[in-house]
Amino acid sequence: MLKIFRDLLRFNLEFAIGTLIVSIIVGLSVLSFFSPYPPEDIYVVAPDVPPSWEYWLGTTSRGQDVFWQMTAALRNTLLFGIAVAAISRVISLTIGLVSGYMGGMTDRVLMSINDTFIIIPLFPILVLFYFVMRDSMSWALLALIMAALGWAYDARLIRSVAMSLRTREFTSQCIFSGMSPRQIMTREHLPYVLPIVFSTTLNNMNWSIGMEVTLSVLGFTDINTPTIGSMLYWANQHTALVAGVWWWIAWPVIAVMLLFIGLYLLATALNEYIDPRSRLSRMGGAT
Amino acid sequence: MKTYAIYLAKRLLQFVLVVFIGINLTYVISHATPIDPVEQTISALTSFGNTSPEAIETMRESLRELYGMSGTPLEQYVSFWSRIVVGDFGPSLSAFPTPVSELILRALPWTIGLLVVATVLAWLLGNLLGGLAGYYRKNRLLKAMGLIAMGLHPMPYYVVAFVLLVVFGFLWPVLPISGGSGIGVGRGFSFDFISSVLLHSLLPALSLVVVGLGGWFLGMRALVSNIVTEDYVVYAELGGVDRRRILTSYVMRNALVPQVTGLAMSLGAIFTGAIITEEVFGYPGIGSLLVDAVHAGDYSLVLGITSVSIVAVSLAVLVIDLLYPLLDPRVQVE
């Protein structure tokens, strides 16, 4: 495991850059635990100070230090992405493995439902959810509903891997030696799909974080929890751009864009590692 | 012909299923949550000044009736569906007494126009350039495009639209950043109106294309670079078939099939992107209507837009699915 990681770092530039970016972001979010100000409090420093030695990234019109505010926001945003990814992985793994292994009618029914969740436009549904919940809307609730809606695409990927595993000889051997379908799926097939689960996790985080930012900026979440989205929401509320407080908007946008690129690069690098065909063509072996 | 009929039946079934599950989802969200939209509306209406208890009671009754919240759960469910089927979502509260369906119908052409143009443009350009990049691997320009696509593809629609808004609204103000057409330009079939509409749609469309293009580019490049290694392509090359002909009718033609499926699969996400973009640029489509409806506390309008979105997107997916056999002859022959 560690050796794979080292090789990827050395030979795969995308993986190296992705790791670097994500480490920086994670490092920043860990710094939030050493913040001198509580992240929810406002008017703790002088408002509207441009970036300076005292306040590295400036301060907001609400009297918050942009740097420390951003570390807390990045931490919450990252945690949100991880929470959604973790919950939705459970659903997509179950559906994907069962559908791929069982085949036949089970597969058809599950995949029809699966495709439905891929096609349905999720944004209006999330907005409706916020509209109904209003003040009871919380960070955890949003993570839960996003996980319940955002598993389908990855379930399809996992199913395709599981389907090819079903025809492999070791699966027949498992059946003949009397293993139950549940045992085969969890003990034999699960380890094979784990790499692809990992890369879908990163893509799913990108999706959920993007959605969270969008919903927060529009004010459709719990805007008092500092996240990248709610930071931008408050900046827009105070018309930061018109007022010339550009640092309030620029830094979080740059940070979150870096995060998207970093996660995406890691995911593609992993995908490439999983699929040796594209690795070969990259090395110029099979053209 | 028989296989096509089976294919058709399957697609229609899937369409019905998407609408069924989607609408049920909106029903569950709007009815099974602990928060009552009727009480929400009443508290919003009565927050300004005093209202007599009798008036509130009357209000509650009529709102229950209006929102389909009266009667047993079964009755509510049936009335919910019967409203959807005929497309009657009641009057809008924020634009009383205009019916919700009329508001949606007014906004829908803007969304569809923007969405269709941007999607088709992004899809065609992305596939063409991606195909070229997969086939001519050594080309510097196409390699650079791949890098740019890699950077843009993971961005959510909102961030891209927002950055474009900042660039063209504050740093280099050359394009209109809000609205659907110029103020004071009369509607109708005139040059002024059409050019104003096109100019206003430029930035929203650009941000949709910028995000969409990268995905199709990367997908097509990966597909093509796999197909290039297939035996029949090698054979065609050895047989001296013109390179351009290999690219178009041997490689790209085959790679397009999964890309069309991909288009159908991602239409929901693209629609989501379009309505977010609309909100950023104040484009008068479904997205802006939805956000305004939430801020105004207009329950019927939010519910109507959600339902119409689900039906519209699944209808569009159905259309793509029906055109699919034109591209993939395997659906038609046994």
Side-chain angles (χ1 to χ4, degrees):
Chain A
M1 193 66 190
L2 213 67
K3 193 172 170 296
I4 295 172
F5 184 73
R6 212 185 54 211
D7 281 357
L8 273 172
L9 269 187
R10 197 186 294 163
F11 297 115
N12 193 327
L13 187 66
E14 284 146 25
F15 189 82
I17 298 175
T19 313
L20 180 73
I21 295 175
V22 173
S23 319
I24 292 175
I25 301 284
V26 171
L28 279 176
S29 55
V30 169
L31 273 184
S32 69
F33 291 108
F34 305 102
S35 168
Y37 323 104
E40 283 90 5
D41 285 9
I42 52 174
Y43 299 114
V44 287
V45 293
D48 292 339
V49 180
S52 63
W53 274 115
E54 201 183 353
Y55 307 111
W56 289 359
L57 305 183
T59 65
T60 71
S61 308
R62 303 176 84 211
Q64 294 159 316
D65 188 318
V66 171
F67 178 78
W68 293 112
Q69 183 70 16
M70 200 170 81
T71 55
L74 277 174
R75 179 191 65 197
N76 288 341
T77 300
L78 261 183
L79 279 179
F80 179 82
I82 292 170
V84 174
I87 305 169
S88 65
R89 274 337 72 179
V90 177
I91 309 176
S92 55
L93 260 176
T94 317
I95 304 268
L97 284 177
V98 169
S99 186
Y101 179 75
M102 292 301 192
M105 204 55 203
T106 321
D107 178 40
R108 242 172 278 159
V109 171
L110 283 179
M111 278 307 111
S112 302
I113 297 172
N114 189 75
D115 288 353
T116 304
F117 275 91
I118 293 180
I119 293 171
I120 289 177
L122 296 180
F123 185 72
I125 293 194
L126 288 171
V127 171
L128 177 70
F129 187 69
Y130 162 75
F131 184 82
V132 178
M133 298 311 281
R134 286 278 160 149
D135 298 336
S136 330
M137 191 74 170
S138 70
W139 184 93
L141 206 59
L142 184 69
L144 213 61
I145 183 103
M146 297 253 306
L149 294 173
W151 50 272
Y153 200 81
D154 303 331
R156 204 161 233 294
L157 274 177
I158 293 167
R159 164 185 170 264
S160 65
V161 178
M163 257 167 76
S164 70
L165 288 173
R166 190 164 66 123
T167 54
R168 295 266 287 271
E169 238 167 69
F170 74 89
T171 308
S172 320
Q173 203 165 7
C174 293
I175 300 173
F176 293 147
S177 51
M179 281 173 91
S180 70
R182 196 175 60 88
Q183 279 174 318
I184 296 178
M185 279 184 252
T186 51
R187 281 204 217 148
E188 302 295 328
H189 287 177
L190 187 62
Y192 278 93
V193 296
L194 277 185
I196 199 166
V197 168
F198 197 63
S199 86
T200 60
T201 303
L202 299 169
N203 279 329
N204 186 270
M205 276 174 72
N206 252 354
W207 170 77
S208 60
I209 291 175
M211 203 58 124
E212 196 274 337
V213 170
T214 309
L215 287 169
S216 303
V217 173
L218 297 174
F220 292 170
T221 51
D222 170 23
I223 40 168
N224 292 318
T225 310
T227 62
I228 292 292
S230 65
M231 236 181 130
L232 292 175
Y233 169 82
W234 287 112
N236 280 343
Q237 287 294 306
H238 289 256
T239 54
L241 275 176
V242 182
V245 193
W246 56 268
W247 52 89
W248 194 358
I249 289 196
W251 301 121
V253 167
I254 290 171
V256 81
M257 278 170 93
L258 278 178
L259 178 62
F260 287 128
I261 294 178
L263 286 174
Y264 179 71
L265 286 180
L266 279 187
T268 37
L270 276 173
N271 264 338
E272 206 167 88
Y273 180 78
I274 297 163
D275 178 19
R277 251 210 308 194
S278 57
R279 230 189 316 165
L280 262 182
S281 71
R282 179 197 184 78
M283 284 150 60
T287 39
Chain B
M1 208 55 221
K2 196 175 153 230
T3 23
Y4 186 65
I6 295 174
Y7 172 81
L8 206 76
K10 270 189 195 160
R11 291 294 111 195
L12 277 172
L13 203 69
Q14 180 71 46
F15 167 73
V16 172
L17 191 72
V18 174
V19 173
F20 181 74
I21 292 186
I23 301 291
N24 273 324
L25 211 59
T26 59
Y27 178 81
V28 168
I29 289 178
S30 58
H31 284 69
T33 42
I35 286 99
D36 191 345
V38 173
E39 299 304 324
Q40 287 253 331
T41 312
I42 287 177
S43 70
L45 286 175
T46 52
S47 56
F48 308 101
N50 286 321
T51 317
S52 71
E54 292 85 29
I56 290 181
E57 200 47 49
T58 330
M59 216 145 71
R60 186 170 288 141
E61 280 306 309
S62 46
L63 278 173
R64 278 200 179 284
E65 198 66 43
L66 191 65
Y67 289 171
M69 297 270 178
S70 52
T72 62
L74 188 70
E75 279 170 21
Q76 288 182 27
Y77 186 70
V78 171
S79 84
F80 185 80
W81 267 104
S82 55
R83 282 151 171 261
I84 304 259
V85 169
V86 291
D88 168 32
F89 302 99
S92 150
L93 203 69
S94 56
F96 199 79
T98 324
V100 164
S101 44
E102 198 184 310
L103 287 174
I104 295 177
L105 277 182
R106 217 183 285 161
L108 211 53
W110 292 95
T111 303
I112 292 177
L114 179 68
L115 194 66
V116 168
V117 171
T119 309
V120 168
L121 215 63
W123 193 81
L124 286 180
L125 265 177
N127 279 322
L128 188 68
L129 292 171
L132 287 172
Y135 196 65
Y136 301 107
R137 313 210 64 169
K138 302 275 186 302
N139 191 307
R140 287 258 176 83
L141 191 70
L142 290 167
K143 266 190 185 167
M145 281 204 63
L147 274 180
I148 297 171
M150 275 248 194
L152 285 176
H153 172 54
M155 294 297 153
Y157 286 98
Y158 183 84
V159 172
V160 171
F162 188 70
V163 169
L164 282 178
L165 179 81
V166 171
V167 170
F168 288 102
F170 293 94
L171 302 179
W172 189 40
V174 283
L175 286 171
I177 52 162
S178 111
S181 62
I183 296 163
V185 180
R187 300 205 164 194
F189 201 75
S190 68
F191 174 77
D192 277 354
F193 180 64
I194 292 173
S195 62
S196 164
V197 165
L198 286 179
L199 201 64
H200 278 79
S201 69
L202 217 53
L203 271 183
L206 184 67
S207 60
L208 283 176
V209 171
V210 160
V211 180
L213 189 76
W216 302 123
F217 180 94
L218 295 171
M220 191 65 174
R221 194 178 64 174
L223 281 168
V224 164
S225 50
N226 273 337
I227 290 176
V228 164
T229 60
E230 297 274 348
D231 289 342
Y232 67 85
V233 178
V234 179
Y235 185 73
E237 271 172 1
L238 291 177
V241 180
D242 184 33
R243 293 270 284 182
R244 243 174 298 160
R245 191 148 164 245
I246 295 181
L247 177 65
T248 49
S249 28
Y250 283 62
V251 176
M252 294 260 256
R253 176 91 157 81
N254 284 305
L256 273 183
V257 174
Q259 288 294 81
V260 173
T261 320
L263 182 63
M265 285 288 192
S266 54
L267 215 58
I270 299 174
F271 178 82
T272 291
I275 60 180
I276 291 167
T277 310
E278 275 176 8
E279 163 57 23
V280 175
F281 293 108
Y283 205 69
I286 289 284
S288 305
L289 193 65
L290 178 65
V291 175
D292 291 346
V294 173
H295 288 314
D298 193 338
Y299 177 71
S300 334
L301 191 51
V302 173
L303 204 61
I305 292 174
T306 311
S307 316
V308 168
S309 305
I310 291 166
V311 175
V313 169
S314 34
L315 210 63
V317 171
L318 183 69
V319 169
I320 295 179
D321 279 339
L322 294 185
L323 294 175
Y324 185 71
L326 291 178
L327 207 73
D328 189 358
R330 280 171 301 183
V331 178
Q332 283 167 313
V333 260
E334 204 76 35

